[in-house]
């Protein structure tokens, strides 16, 4: 059994978005009021030594232990990650195997995308009872599998009822043992290869195929999308353009929250950058994928 006094959180980032990790980490620390220690695993996909040191400065080591894991050590060598033509970074596939990299004895984790800040005590999410479920998540903005622009386009062929709820994979509470025993990472990858012409939103498609009508629904406040108004969400997810860009277009109040937490980090002097850099990042990702295909 894992230490009930330790909360285990996993994120994955490259060097470009490591600034988001800083704000997320600080928001978790400042709002954590109960006595659990936090193990914060960062899957490192090319973070510079300079930025690693800066991240180490963000959180109080008495409250949070940062554990670094190299991305090359996360996905098993016999797994072939699908290479699509989207601008989504390959780091999205790391979450499929993150239950394999946590310390021995850890039986539950919270996985988070890095474009998030937490406004509530993370222990309130941690202590949600998973029961017999392998994963808990929040319903996506796409709502159901039959959404025309997202969801699972081939839901009928897969025998999934049209009204089945579709979840956002950016925040999830995971039963580590069930995930490992069920070989979930490989099952999702298999679904992505098998149904590649139907895949929308990368691994989120595969996760919703594997867990169709078999996931625990969380309160929307634990994955509140930043474009929607809410006076007091527990967790804000910047799904669209991130607040580090001048072209940010979600709720202004949430951007202010982001920069409030960032002001407590070594990135406190950071100013929003051109939206062109966002597009260049996506172009770079697409070119990288194109080369990987060959």
């Amino acid at each position: 059994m894992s230490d009930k006094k330790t909360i285990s959180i996993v994120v994955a980032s490259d060097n470009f978005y490591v600034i988001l990790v800083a704000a997320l980490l600080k928001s978790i620390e400042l709002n954590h009021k109960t006595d659990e220690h936090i193990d914060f695993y960062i899957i490192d996909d090319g973070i510079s030594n300079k930025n690693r040191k800066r991240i180490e400065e963000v959180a109080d080591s008495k409250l949070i232990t940062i554990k670094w894991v190299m991305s090359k050590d996360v996905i098993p060598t016999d797994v072939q990650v699908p290479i699509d033509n989207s601008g989504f970074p390959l780091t999205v596939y790391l979450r499929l195997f993150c239950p394999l990299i946590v310390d021995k004895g850890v039986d539950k984790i919270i996985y988070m995308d890095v474009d998030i800040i937490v406004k509530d005590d993370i222990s309130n999410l941690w202590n949600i009872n998973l029961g017999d479920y392998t994963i808990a998540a929040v319903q996506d903005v796409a709502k159901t599998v039959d959404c025309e622009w997202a969801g699972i386009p081939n839901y009928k062929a897969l025998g999934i009822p049209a009204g089945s709820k579709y979840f956002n994979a950016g925040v999830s509470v995971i039963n580590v043992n069930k995930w490992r025993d069920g070989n979930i990472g490989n099952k999702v990858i298999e679904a992505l290869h098998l149904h590649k012409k139907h895949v929308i939103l990368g691994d989120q498609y595969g996760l919703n195929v594997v867990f169709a009508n078999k996931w625990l629904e969380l309160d929307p406040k634990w994955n509140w999308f930043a474009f929607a108004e809410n006076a007091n969400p527990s967790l804000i997810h910047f799904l669209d353009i991130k607040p580090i860009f001048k072209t940010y277009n979600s709720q202004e109040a949430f951007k202010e929250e982001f920069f409030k937490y960032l002001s407590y980090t070594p990135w406190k002097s950071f100013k929003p950058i051109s939206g062109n850099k966002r597009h260049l990042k996506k172009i770079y990702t697409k070119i990288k994928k194109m080369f990987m295909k060959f």
Side-chain angles (χ1 to χ4, degrees):
M1 296 293 290
S2 64
D3 179 1
K4 300 304 181 187
K5 291 294 184 181
T6 301
I7 295 171
S8 298
I9 300 171
V10 182
V11 302
S13 182
D14 60 14
N15 199 55
F16 187 83
Y17 284 120
V18 70
I19 185 174
L20 301 181
V21 178
L24 168 59
L25 187 54
K26 201 66 189 182
S27 72
I28 291 171
E29 179 201 325
L30 293 180
N31 292 304
H32 183 46
K33 308 302 182 187
T34 48
D35 62 354
E36 303 98 338
H37 188 77
I38 296 173
D39 282 347
F40 193 84
Y41 295 81
I42 302 175
I43 301 175
D44 175 355
D45 191 39
I47 298 173
S48 69
N49 288 333
K50 177 184 177 182
N51 282 337
R52 268 189 173 226
K53 289 176 183 175
R54 294 167 96 184
I55 287 292
E56 293 280 359
E57 296 172 17
V58 170
D60 183 343
S61 59
K62 293 194 257 339
L63 302 175
I64 299 178
T65 299
I66 296 174
K67 295 175 177 269
W68 296 94
V69 181
M70 298 306 296
S71 60
K72 65 181 178 59
D73 298 325
V74 176
I75 299 177
T77 54
D78 60 341
V79 172
Q80 184 183 358
V81 173
I83 308 297
D84 58 28
N85 297 317
S86 76
F88 288 111
L90 291 167
T91 50
V92 298
Y93 295 106
L94 295 171
R95 65 176 148 213
L96 300 179
F97 299 96
C98 65
L100 307 182
I101 55 91
V102 292
D103 293 346
K104 187 176 181 180
V106 173
D107 52 22
K108 181 168 68 171
I109 61 173
I110 297 172
Y111 172 83
M112 292 184 185
D113 285 346
V114 295
D115 54 345
I116 280 169
I117 54 172
V118 177
K119 288 169 52 63
D120 198 347
D121 192 325
I122 197 64
S123 65
N124 292 325
L125 178 59
W126 177 254
N127 289 318
I128 287 169
N129 184 3
L130 277 172
D132 290 329
Y133 290 96
T134 301
I135 187 170
V138 168
Q139 188 176 17
D140 189 70
V141 63
K143 298 298 185 185
T144 55
V145 297
D146 53 334
C147 173
E148 292 183 359
W149 53 268
I152 302 174
N154 59 328
Y155 68 90
K156 289 180 182 177
L158 294 172
I160 302 172
S164 299
K165 291 184 178 181
Y166 173 85
F167 66 86
N168 181 277
V171 178
S172 52
V173 184
I174 294 171
N175 181 314
V176 169
N177 297 322
K178 283 181 175 288
W179 193 280
R180 288 173 174 163
D181 294 345
N183 200 21
I184 300 302
N186 281 296
K187 285 181 178 176
V188 173
I189 293 292
E190 183 182 345
L192 294 171
H193 283 300
L194 195 60
H195 310 296
K196 60 183 178 182
K197 67 180 180 180
H198 300 291
V199 173
I200 301 176
L201 302 180
D203 65 315
Q204 185 164 286
Y205 166 93
L207 283 163
N208 274 276
V209 168
V210 171
F211 289 111
N213 293 311
K214 293 184 290 186
W215 55 282
L216 177 65
E217 185 174 0
L218 297 174
D219 189 309
K221 71 179 184 177
W222 283 112
N223 191 355
W224 191 261
F225 309 130
F227 51 75
E229 288 187 30
N230 189 332
N232 193 31
S234 294
L235 183 153
I236 301 165
H237 189 175
F238 297 99
L239 266 185
D240 196 7
I241 300 173
K242 315 311 172 195
I244 61 172
F245 298 112
K246 292 178 180 177
T247 48
Y248 173 82
N249 59 358
S250 294
Q251 296 292 321
E252 191 64 24
F254 295 154
K255 177 181 177 179
E256 292 172 4
E257 287 278 336
F258 172 85
F259 278 97
K260 178 183 79 173
Y261 293 114
L262 196 67
S263 71
Y264 293 103
T265 79
W267 283 269
K268 60 187 177 184
S269 299
F270 177 86
K271 302 296 182 187
I273 58 179
S274 167
N276 290 334
K277 291 190 177 182
R278 171 175 169 265
H279 293 299
L280 287 172
K281 168 69 172 171
K282 287 183 176 293
I283 291 168
Y284 170 78
T285 298
K286 289 183 179 182
I287 292 172
K288 182 178 178 181
K289 288 180 178 180
M290 184 174 67
F291 277 104
M292 289 179 71
K293 286 183 179 180
F294 293 101

